Amino acid sequence: MPAGLFTAGAIAALLATPLSTHGSSSVITNPPPDKIVIEVATVNGSGCPAGTAAVAVSPDNTAFTVTYSQYLAQVGVGSKPTDFRKNCQLNLNVHVPQGFTYAIAAADYRGYAKLEAGAYGVQKASYYFQGSPVTTPSSHTFRGNYADNWQATDSVPIAALVWAPCGELRNFNINTELRVNAGTSDPSKTTSFMTMDSTDGSINTIYHLAWKECPKP
């Protein structure tokens, strides 16, 4: 996917250097009115080959969306040995209006899974800023027999939100992963798979944002 610019939206992270609490304000109800600019620096991974993942941002600055079209992990008949795990890493530059900062409040992941009895699939995600030594992961497991759409939601309480540093521009990374394990199923006779897409070829992964004003200098 070529790098590009996206405006009128925002991105955020679970991990960043926390803001000083001195002089800081509480979470605001209304997002900043000015446009946010998101530059996609790189997108890499077996789950998001070139041209198969896209980032879009909401007009009201409250969410951004990642759409995939070839994110599929599988085991069993017709699968390669490496197909059991697929991943995607997005590296983004985020420009926010002066005087504001942001944090990720929730993330919604959706897709479809067909898991044989005894098999299971795992969806993982992690978020971090460039230069941060710590990563916060999340993980959701789905077990067969299963053949339906799936959804996983990560939520962060307001008190636990970690805010991007005011006045600093740091690349933000989103790592996602799908794994499918045959477990006690018979991979020589069956196929189990899990996608981060929908029956029409794409699905939206939505990240919801919280905003607050930076401390006055």
Side-chain angles (χ1 to χ4, degrees):
M1 175 182 174
L5 290 178
F6 300 86
T7 60
I11 192 173
L14 280 172
L15 281 170
T17 303
L19 285 175
S20 167
T21 57
H22 176 70
S24 62
S25 61
S26 61
V27 177
I28 60 177
T29 303
N30 298 318
D34 295 338
K35 290 183 177 181
I36 312 305
V37 178
I38 299 176
E39 178 183 4
V40 181
T42 58
V43 54
N44 293 299
S46 55
C48 52
T52 67
V55 180
V57 292
S58 67
D60 61 0
N61 291 358
T62 61
F64 68 94
T65 301
V66 183
T67 302
Y68 304 98
S69 62
Q70 292 186 23
Y71 207 146
L72 167 68
Q74 61 180 351
V75 294
V77 179
S79 303
K80 299 176 182 178
T82 57
D83 286 346
F84 79 99
R85 176 186 178 272
K86 294 296 175 72
N87 76 296
C88 185
Q89 175 168 317
L90 291 168
N91 182 279
L92 305 169
N93 295 326
V94 185
H95 306 265
V96 301
Q98 186 174 3
F100 289 91
T101 187
Y102 53 91
I104 194 166
D108 299 324
Y109 298 92
R110 298 182 179 91
Y112 183 84
K114 183 180 183 300
L115 303 170
E116 296 292 327
Y120 62 93
V122 181
Q123 180 268 325
K124 295 182 178 181
S126 61
Y127 321 85
Y128 64 95
F129 274 102
Q130 179 183 15
S132 172
V134 184
T135 302
T136 293
S138 67
S139 180
H140 303 273
T141 300
F142 300 85
R143 299 187 181 278
N145 192 7
Y146 189 100
D148 203 348
N149 295 317
W150 62 268
Q151 178 174 337
T153 298
D154 299 328
S155 298
V156 183
I158 293 297
L161 291 174
V162 184
W163 303 89
C166 282
E168 296 184 30
L169 178 59
R170 297 187 186 181
N171 283 19
F172 175 61
N173 294 275
I174 304 170
N175 290 325
T176 58
E177 178 182 319
L178 292 179
R179 286 178 180 258
V180 177
N181 192 300
T184 59
S185 68
D186 186 351
S188 68
K189 298 179 180 178
T190 63
T191 302
S192 294
F193 67 87
M194 188 172 182
T195 72
M196 205 178 293
D197 64 8
S198 67
T199 53
D200 62 2
S202 65
I203 192 69
N204 293 336
T205 298
I206 303 173
Y207 298 83
H208 305 275
L209 308 179
W211 290 93
K212 73 176 179 180
E213 294 180 303
C214 291
K216 302 297 182 183

